[in-house]
Each structure stands twice: as structure tokens, then as C-alpha cells.
Amino acid sequence: MEKKWIKGSEILLESLSRLGVDTIFGYPGGSVIPIYDALYDFKKISHYFARHEQGAAHEADGYARATGKVGVCFATSGPGATNLVTGIMTAHMDSVPLMAITGQVGSNLLGKDAFQESDIVGITIPITKMNYLVKDIKELPRIIKEAHFVAHTGRPGPVLIDLPKDIQLAEIELAEFEKLFTEDIQLEGYVPNYKGHPNQIKKAIDLIKKAEKPLIIAGAGIIKSKACAELKELAQTMDIPVTTTLLGLGSFPSSHRLSLGMLGMHGTVGANFATQEADLVIALGMRFDDRIAGDPENFCHLAQIIHIDIDPAEIEKNRMVEIPIVGDLKGVLKAINKKLTPRKNTDWVEKTLGWKKEYPMVYVKSSEKLMPQEVLEHLDTIVQGQAIVSTDVGQHQMWVAQFLQFTKPNTMLSSGGAGTMGFGLPAAIGAQVGRPEELVIAVVGDGGFQMTYQELMLIKQYQLPVKVLLLNNSYLGMVRQWQDLFLDKRYSSVNLDINPDFEKIGEAYGIKTVTLKTRSELEDQLEGLIKSKEPVIIQCVVEGEANVLPMIPAGKCANHMIGLRGVI
Amino acid sequence: MDQYEILIIAKNKDGIIGRILSLFNKRGYFVRKMTAGATNRAGYARLTLTVEGDELTLEQIQKQVYKIIDVVKVKIFPSKGVIRREMMLIKVKASNETRTQIIQIADIYRGSVLDVSSSSLTILLTGDEKKLDGFVEMMKSYEILEIAKTGILAMSRGEKM
Ligand SMILES: Cc1ncc(C[n+]2csc(CCOP(=O)(O)OP(=O)(O)O)c2C)c(N)n1
Ligand SMILES: [Mg+2]
């Protein structure tokens, strides 16, 4: 019988496909030519051709965040691989399942500073959950399975596989590949704990039953664990107000009576006040980072804390807690909910409702210029929580969190941990690829948009109906705000009066671009543009000196919050 | 600053030591000594790190180290119930007048002389840190030319790991 052979590059694609991967974002180059050659007639995977590797990484990330699946990106060795680094770091900070696959120079050239050689495995050690340099084609099927498994289980995160060119070209018998592919993965040191310790759960239940002023803080872990229903049940059964982190937006409907919106540096007054008064905080899949708990030991100072997270290393990393529970939120919350009988916390909930009423998100409208907040407020009346919204990083990102409602998980895509400018547009592209039926809106600033707007080409090329809402305030607004508030308005390198003509940019990429400057233009046109079937760039020229308020200055607690009523 | 010994057993794969050490660096933890070698299971490495820092941070790092996929065991050794040994090679200046004295002191410390030259002696010594430090102190008056230490090896007493 004739022997059939399979190449390393084909093993890569075939294995990924068997693991459920059907979409890849990437950029070719010398060290991945064999992989791209294999892609040429590989029908089971669609490849989206990015225009910069950073774009490819954020696209895969946005795809992963919007679909809950593993995002995959390809890049060549050397500069191609290092261009992925920001994207991998972004995914790492937000625990996004991402597989980065890089070509590497031939094994015989490794360590010789060959053309486009870089030690990408060494470079990405601190920003990957696991990474691999493949040394033998026979390891490849197992490594791909392992990497994929590691990326999406436990606390999800990015993995990287560096694949030398000779291994892409090497061949083994098809029968051997089949055998290797069925071999078990070897992850002895990796046993994520999903269950939660029964004793700890019992203690948590006791505390929840006794609490008089309980507060839930929901983080991204709720969304990753698909525990939104369990969260809602807990909140409703025990009548507990819920605040979310930036990445927790969408885990609990903003419109719910018990929702206090986002907490933290630019959180709502109600949410931040609640942290000051609560006697019990149930912290779910969040990590007390410095934008939430600027002063960790004084954060929620009157409360006992139950902290539930799948990652044991998060327990007491930033904040000491009374009851840590390591486990998957869905299961742990189910176990907790089972033992609870409905109760009311009328006084406490009324108090939080009072804060919500007294301190709504407000801002001062200008008579001449559009305010960035009003653009988003208007967008919210059009969208009403029924869209996937990605953001870039800066003031507009915080205003999105403050002024848009989120009702469903996986609909708020934002670089929270890393704060990566340039994330918004490619993330929206990835999201639209993964969820073609949904309305996807990228809200970006005039600064960050310029960092990755070459990716607009994909919108044209793949006919993606992404809407880009550009809030052009002619400033690096968030940095300007800090210079305004804390440095006597010494505006140093934040002025963007000299910006490109964004209409021409849009036009150059073949995308309809509209500029809105006045309130009446906004009211007349925004809805039609957002609801259009085509891609559109909507540039809103907005007031430059608006500040994001309220604000808890860095390193402080909620009692130092400023701008409670939208002015200082 | 307190000093701790941490035992780490990991699959001996590329870059594993880099991955482990990067966690200590990231948290500003100073790794004073490190031993790395084989274990009774093929394909696994046993590391003993001697580190300085506060206990809370150490517990954090321990969890972070355990998160590394290829790490199968992490343990902070308690101060009691643990055997600790370090090996040292020490080269000192030795003349006809001092040679016998040095050898006598080395005998008291159960050291063995591995090399003799007309102007030097090289001695091998094994023991806990205190013993090695004591010997080094004694040798100072003879002029120490070179010291090489292995780092601390540690193992719990009794059957358990
Ligand atoms: C890659 C990167 N570089 C620098 C920063 C620092 N930074 C944070 S927000 C910001 C300003 C963003 O300006 P823009 O995109 O116009 O948004 P705005 O704040 O004006 O809404 C900068 C420079 C960052 N977060 N990311
Ligand atoms: Mg701006």
C-alpha cells in the first residue's frame, strides 16, 4: 500500500481545525511561508489577512472575547513575532484565551542571530500562560492540543507556539500523525480546581445569610465562567446590590434595579459609596486591582470579604480576605444558591437606590460643542444594550462604561488590565468576524485610532459592517485630564490639533465616513448611520476639555472621590 | 529580611528555570542561591532556591510558581525538621609555616584537602550554612583566594517529601 505523508504545516492546520478552530488572523513572512502555503488550499479554516501583526493579535483577542472561543493568530519570526507582543500582553492581562503561532528560523540556525531570528519564547515568558518551541515534528500534535487546552481552561490566557521552518516542512506518515493526535496531553502540573472547598462554601453561605449590607462585585470571571444566571439568582434571592468592574460589564444587566454600574476610579458614586458602607463584599472573579481598590487595605474597610476566583494566586494578592474560595464561579455559585432562601435587605437596597437617584451620571452640556458624553448617551438610546461595543483606551473608554448599558455577556470588549491604545478597532473587527449577525461598534479616540487604523482595510476587504465611532477631542484626553487636574494644566504632548483628516482616511480605505459636529447633526444622523447595513466611520467632533468624573485619584479610597455631580 | 528555602519540582523543559526566576524578579524577590539537578524521576528537575523577602510576598510567589504549567510541586521549607546542606570548595594561601595549621582546622571541620600546591590549599567542606561560614571566618587570617559554593540542598526529615 502506498504511504501517505503529512507536513508539519499541515499538521498545524489540521490539528487546529480538529480542535474547533475555523478562524485565524495573521500576517505572512519568510518563516511562515510553508504554513501559508498549506493555508492556500485548506478549506476548513478562514484566514483573515491583517495589516499589522498587532492588529492580528487584537483581532484574535476580540474574536475570543466576543465568542468565548479561543482566538488564533499567526506571524512570522523576528519582527512579525515581536509585533504580536503587545497583543499577547493585552490578552494576558485580561485572561483571554489566545493562541499565538509564530514561525521561527530553521532549527539549524537557532541561536546564530540568523536573519529574522528572535527568541520569542524567551520574550513572551512573562506574558504567556505557557509557551513552546517545537523541536521535533512528532511533538507537534501534542503541543497544539496542550496549548489549546491550557489557553481556554482554568484561568484562560494566551499561549505561544514557536515553530521552526524546517519542522513546518518536515513530514511524517499520516498514520503516525493520527496516532500522535490521539495521544493524551501531559499536564501533570496543571490541575485547575473547579469545585470550591465545601467548608469554605459553607462559611460563605453563613456570612451571606447574616449580612445586613451585602454588596456583590462582579468581574470578568463571571463572564468567562458563564455564570451570569447564577449571579443574577444570588443577587435576586438575597436582594444584594451588584457593581461590576470594567470587564465585568455585561455580567449583570445595567438596567436591573439592583445594578449600581461600574465601581472604581471612574465608577458611579453609588457603587463607590456602597463599598464604603457594605458589611459584606462578595467579590466574584475580580482581582482588587489598583483601578478598583486604589488603597487596597482601606477598600471596603467595614466589610468582611468573600473572594471567589479560579486562580489561587489571586487570593490575597492585593487584598486580605476573610473567606477565599478557589473554584469555578458557575459551580460555586450554584452550590451557594442552593442553600439560600429569599430575603429582603430593604433598608440597604433603598439606600443604594437613593444614591443612584441622587448621583446619576451627569455632565455639563455646552452650548456650542458636542459633549463626548452626550454622543454616548444618544448612542445608548439607539442601541439599548443590543450591540457588541469595543473601546480603545482613554476618556472615551470610561465614558462608554459610564453611559452605555450592557445587558449581555461578551458584549463589552475593552483592554482593561493593559490599557492598550490601538485595541478598539481590531478587537471590533475580530468580534464582527466571530459574530457576523451582531451590531458591532468600535468606540475609539483620535489618539488610539491612529495606532492601528491600518486595520480598516479588513473592514473593506471582508465587507464587515463594523461601525467606528470616533470621539475626536483633539487631545490625548485621558492624559490631558491628569495634567489638568493634578499638574496645573501643563499640557505636555497631549495636544492633537494636528491630526490627519479622518474623513480622508476613511475615504482612502474605501469606507463611508461622516462627521457630526452639532447636536442637531447627532440627533438627525446617528441612528441611521448606526443602523446602516454598511460599515461606517462616524467622526464626532467633541469638546476637548471635558473630564471623566467622578474620579477617585490614584492610590485613594472612595471617600476621596471628586466630581460627584459631574463638576469639580 | 528573612531567608527561606523553596523546593520546586518541575518537568525539565526548555526555559523552565527562566520562567520560574522571572516571577521572583517581578516581585522584587532576591534569589540568593539556587541549586538545580535531577530527581529520582526521569525528566524532572529539582530546584532549591534560597530567597530573601517577607513571608506574605513569598506565599504569593509560591502560588504564582505553582501556576506554571510544568511545575508539579512547590514547597516552602519550615525552619525545623529539615536537613540543609551546602558544599563549598575553598582555596587559601598556604606556606610551609601555615599549611599544617590549616589542615588541622580543616580536620576539625571534617573538610578534605583536594589539592596542595607550594603556595595554596584547596579544601572541600560540606555542612549547613553556619558551619561553612564558621570555616570561612577561620580561613580569613590565611588569605582566601577563591570560594565556590553549591547553594543549599534541603530535604525534609522522615518519610514525607
Ligand atoms: C499604547 C499606549 N500608549 C500610551 C498610553 C497612555 N494613554 C492612556 S490614555 C491616553 C490618551 C488616549 O487618547 P485618545 O485615544 O485620543 O482618547 P481620549 O482619552 O481622548 O478619549 C494615553 C496616551 C496607552 N494607554 N497605551
Ligand atoms: Mg482624544
Side-chain angles (χ1 to χ4, degrees):
Chain A
M1 208 177 74
E2 204 196 333
K3 278 185 183 169
K4 286 220 174 97
W5 299 84
I6 183 167
K7 286 189 190 145
S9 55
E10 294 162 343
I11 290 177
L12 173 68
L13 299 183
E14 182 59 30
S15 304
L16 286 172
S17 163
R18 289 184 188 188
L19 294 166
V21 174
D22 57 13
T23 304
I24 287 172
F25 302 87
Y27 204 95
S31 296
V32 285
I33 284 179
I35 295 175
Y36 276 80
D37 187 54
L39 266 173
Y40 186 79
D41 45 18
F42 192 83
K43 295 281 175 295
K44 292 180 281 185
I45 289 180
S46 312
H47 177 268
Y48 290 82
F49 172 24
R51 293 304 190 271
H52 185 299
E53 290 86 353
Q54 182 186 353
H58 293 326
E59 280 142 20
D61 178 322
Y63 174 91
R65 291 186 205 228
T67 61
K69 294 195 269 186
V70 176
V72 184
C73 57
F74 284 175
T76 193
S77 63
T82 56
N83 273 349
L84 290 178
V85 168
T86 301
I88 296 172
M89 185 274 284
T90 303
H92 179 69
M93 292 297 278
D94 290 346
S95 310
V96 176
L98 178 79
M99 275 178 103
I101 293 160
T102 49
Q104 182 55 281
V105 301
S107 307
N108 60 328
L109 294 172
L110 277 172
K112 296 184 179 169
D113 295 329
F115 178 64
Q116 295 194 328
E117 179 187 357
S118 76
D119 176 13
I120 196 64
V121 167
I123 290 171
T124 56
I125 279 178
I127 54 168
T128 51
K129 193 168 166 188
M130 180 79 169
N131 61 12
Y132 302 83
L133 171 64
V134 184
K135 291 189 164 162
D136 180 347
I137 186 170
K138 291 183 184 163
E139 291 183 332
L140 189 54
R142 192 204 81 233
I143 286 178
I144 296 165
K145 272 168 58 176
E146 245 181 58
H148 185 267
F149 180 76
V150 166
H152 74 87
T153 53
R155 178 180 184 168
V159 295
L160 179 137
I161 301 174
D162 199 22
L163 191 54
K165 196 168 177 179
D166 54 308
I167 293 175
Q168 300 169 31
L169 290 165
E171 291 183 319
I172 54 174
E173 271 182 56
L174 196 56
E176 184 170 18
F177 163 66
E178 291 298 348
K179 193 173 136 271
L180 290 169
F181 192 81
T182 57
E183 271 177 19
D184 282 338
I185 51 181
Q186 308 162 0
L187 293 167
E188 182 190 348
Y190 179 67
V191 196
N193 177 0
Y194 291 107
K195 293 274 289 188
H197 197 287
N199 264 348
Q200 294 294 94
I201 290 178
K202 198 170 157 294
K203 283 191 213 159
I205 292 167
D206 289 345
L207 275 194
I208 294 171
K209 282 181 179 164
K210 270 192 267 166
E212 287 173 7
K213 297 175 176 181
L215 173 69
I216 293 173
I217 305 178
I222 291 283
I223 295 170
K224 292 177 199 296
S225 157
K226 301 189 170 66
C228 298
E230 288 74 14
L231 165 65
K232 201 168 177 180
E233 188 183 334
L234 172 64
Q236 287 178 346
T237 311
M238 300 308 282
D239 205 22
I240 307 176
V242 179
T243 175
T244 77
T245 65
L246 175 69
L247 299 188
L249 288 169
S251 64
F252 191 77
S254 316
S255 50
H256 198 285
R257 171 175 163 271
L258 290 167
S259 168
L260 295 175
M262 181 176 76
L263 84 165
M265 184 175 272
H266 292 299
T268 67
V269 174
N272 285 330
F273 275 2
T275 64
Q276 294 285 99
E277 284 202 23
D279 65 355
L280 175 69
V281 163
I282 309 166
L284 306 174
M286 54 81 73
R287 56 191 176 86
F288 298 94
D289 99 306
D290 56 285
R291 288 302 190 255
I292 299 293
D295 176 5
E297 290 315 316
N298 289 314
F299 177 68
C300 300
H301 63 297
L302 299 177
Q304 292 192 293
I305 298 181
I306 300 168
H307 186 191
I308 311 177
D309 201 287
I310 196 157
D311 180 2
E314 281 308 333
I315 304 297
E316 302 195 336
K317 180 172 92 181
N318 295 325
R319 175 73 160 87
M320 303 303 285
V321 299
E322 278 69 26
I323 303 192
I325 303 177
V326 177
D328 182 46
L329 279 163
K330 195 178 180 75
V332 175
L333 288 183
K334 270 206 170 107
I336 291 175
N337 286 340
K338 239 195 290 179
K339 301 277 179 201
L340 299 175
T341 43
R343 63 167 281 179
K344 288 275 165 228
N345 295 309
T346 312
D347 289 352
W348 169 237
V349 172
E350 284 303 322
K351 191 161 193 181
T352 63
L353 289 173
W355 288 325
K356 264 167 68 166
K357 214 159 142 197
E358 193 176 343
Y359 302 100
M361 276 299 159
V362 285
Y363 57 92
V364 183
K365 274 198 185 166
S366 141
S367 50
E368 308 131 48
K369 284 203 157 171
L370 265 181
M371 295 302 285
Q373 297 98 321
E374 81 181 292
V375 172
L376 294 169
E377 218 170 37
H378 192 62
L379 179 68
D380 191 54
T381 63
I382 298 166
V383 177
Q384 293 178 34
Q386 303 302 312
I388 296 173
V389 179
S390 77
T391 77
D392 214 79
V393 170
Q395 289 186 309
H396 64 279
Q397 177 189 31
M398 292 298 112
W399 284 319
V400 164
Q402 293 179 334
F403 288 91
L404 293 190
Q405 44 181 315
F406 290 92
T407 55
K408 291 181 281 192
N410 306 317
T411 57
M412 159 67 173
L413 319 179
S414 193
S415 169
T420 302
M421 284 171 73
F423 174 80
L425 173 67
I429 290 169
Q432 187 78 78
V433 166
R435 293 176 66 182
E437 302 305 321
E438 302 285 329
L439 169 60
V440 177
I441 306 171
V443 180
V444 300
D446 48 327
F449 187 41
Q450 294 183 56
M451 288 200 174
T452 49
Y453 62 20
Q454 75 286 340
E455 300 303 295
L456 285 171
M457 208 67 261
L458 279 76
I459 292 181
K460 180 75 183 165
Q461 180 170 354
Y462 300 105
Q463 297 169 7
L464 304 169
V466 172
K467 310 292 178 293
V468 178
L469 182 68
L470 165 62
L471 290 180
N472 184 354
N473 54 7
S474 294
Y475 274 118
L476 295 177
M478 188 54 98
V479 181
R480 185 205 57 74
Q481 170 166 348
W482 283 50
Q483 293 172 348
D484 176 2
L485 297 180
F486 309 117
L487 295 166
D488 256 349
K489 286 194 197 274
R490 287 155 56 89
Y491 289 171
S492 178
S493 295
V494 291
N495 196 312
L496 291 177
D497 275 343
I498 303 182
N499 255 337
D501 180 334
F502 288 111
E503 285 192 11
K504 285 195 180 146
I505 296 280
E507 200 183 299
Y509 283 94
I511 298 168
K512 176 175 171 181
T513 305
V514 180
T515 299
L516 308 179
K517 288 188 173 153
T518 64
R519 196 153 295 142
S520 60
E521 283 172 354
L522 180 78
E523 282 162 9
D524 293 347
Q525 296 182 48
L526 187 63
E527 179 157 11
L529 294 169
I530 290 290
K531 291 191 170 162
S532 135
K533 295 269 172 277
E534 300 169 279
V536 192
I537 300 171
I538 307 157
Q539 170 180 216
C540 294
V541 178
V542 296
E543 167 61 43
E545 301 266 341
N547 284 336
V548 184
L549 295 171
M551 177 175 195
I552 304 175
K556 298 262 169 65
C557 265
N559 53 331
H560 292 95
M561 185 166 34
I562 56 175
L564 280 65
R565 295 183 197 278
V567 283
I568 298 180
Chain B
M1 282 264 183
D2 289 324
Q3 175 174 314
Y4 303 88
E5 274 91 38
I6 308 174
L7 168 69
I8 299 167
I9 296 184
K11 283 196 196 168
N12 200 357
K13 290 216 198 139
D14 296 330
I16 181 73
I17 292 186
R19 221 173 230 284
I20 292 168
L21 290 183
S22 102
L23 289 175
F24 286 87
N25 294 340
K26 210 166 126 179
R27 297 299 297 263
Y29 234 81
F30 180 52
V31 179
R32 281 190 57 215
K33 298 178 180 180
M34 184 177 97
T35 66
T39 69
N40 49 331
R41 286 172 73 191
Y44 289 79
R46 177 178 177 123
L47 313 184
T48 312
L49 305 188
T50 305
V51 300
E52 266 176 15
D54 68 276
E55 198 176 343
L56 208 72
T57 319
L58 187 66
E59 262 180 43
Q60 245 302 303
I61 297 179
Q62 181 188 8
K63 291 187 205 162
Q64 306 263 17
V65 172
Y66 193 62
K67 255 172 85 170
I68 297 174
I69 310 286
D70 282 326
V71 168
V72 298
K73 183 169 178 79
V74 186
K75 170 180 172 157
I76 302 172
F77 282 113
S79 53
K80 296 224 170 68
V82 177
I83 306 164
R84 292 179 169 80
R85 288 292 180 274
E86 188 167 15
M87 196 187 272
M88 169 172 74
L89 289 173
I90 177 167
K91 190 182 287 178
V92 288
K93 260 219 150 93
S95 60
N96 289 339
E97 292 84 63
T98 58
R99 191 170 297 115
T100 344
Q101 288 173 23
I102 295 172
I103 292 174
Q104 276 174 357
I105 299 170
D107 271 349
I108 296 168
Y109 279 84
R110 292 172 204 267
S112 38
V113 176
L114 297 189
D115 183 65
V116 188
S117 80
S118 58
S119 59
S120 72
L121 271 173
T122 303
I123 297 154
L124 168 72
L125 201 70
T126 308
D128 58 21
E129 269 199 308
K130 231 161 103 196
K131 175 174 162 187
L132 300 194
D133 288 348
F135 187 70
V136 169
E137 203 49 47
M138 295 296 290
M139 287 301 110
K140 276 188 181 158
S141 51
Y142 302 100
E143 197 181 338
I144 298 168
L145 297 170
E146 206 178 331
I147 289 179
K149 289 186 182 180
T150 54
I152 296 170
L153 276 178
M155 196 175 270
S156 305
R157 292 184 187 276
E159 193 188 321
K160 284 209 181 120
M161 193 160 180

